[in-house]
Amino acid sequence: MDEDLPLLVIVDAANVVGSVPDGWWRDRRGAAERLRDRLVADGLPGHAGPVEIVLVVEGAARGGESVPGVRVESAAGSGDDHVVALVERAAGRPVLVVTADRELRRRVAAVGADVTGPRTVRP
């Protein structure tokens, strides 16, 4: 594993946004953009080193723009499949996936990612 590369943090937006019942379902894209902005402001709490953050959005949340500090990727189909593909393409570098989805957690761990829950980025 290439420890010289920054930690790649892949955030499952649908799962993280959906972890708090704050009305996100009325404006899914807006909720994803608020999460993106929180990630820009807070990064990965508790991690001292550099990180590269990718926010994966799907469905009605698609269309948000990337901003300095967070790259937004709109999944053409399944957000989970997109997250797994990103992990596979990042082979050889440290990867952390943020999700509570049990099946997604299993899939990304099988291809080498570490996993943490939504509270890591959304208190």
Side-chain angles (χ1 to χ4, degrees):
M1 182 162 309
D2 190 342
E3 299 296 329
D4 293 334
L5 293 171
L7 175 66
L8 176 60
V9 179
I10 303 171
V11 180
D12 175 6
N15 188 268
V16 173
V17 165
S19 69
V20 177
D22 62 0
W24 58 263
W25 52 89
R26 290 188 293 269
D27 180 10
R28 293 170 193 248
R29 182 173 166 185
E33 289 171 342
R34 287 188 297 278
L35 174 58
R36 176 203 62 201
D37 295 346
R38 182 178 299 117
L39 292 167
V40 169
D42 298 343
L44 182 64
H47 183 77
V51 295
E52 176 186 348
I53 300 175
V54 178
L55 181 65
V56 175
V57 296
E58 62 185 318
R62 279 188 235 139
E65 300 287 326
S66 294
V67 296
V70 176
R71 185 173 82 235
V72 177
E73 292 209 7
S74 294
S78 161
D80 291 0
D81 290 346
H82 193 83
V83 168
V84 172
L86 288 172
V87 173
E88 290 172 339
R89 286 197 302 259
R93 75 180 285 189
V95 179
L96 178 67
V97 174
V98 182
T99 187
D101 180 310
R102 286 186 193 153
E103 178 60 14
L104 180 57
R105 291 170 75 95
R106 184 196 63 74
R107 290 176 65 194
V108 298
V111 291
D114 290 322
V115 184
T116 191
R119 288 187 181 167
T120 302
V121 297
R122 186 168 188 176

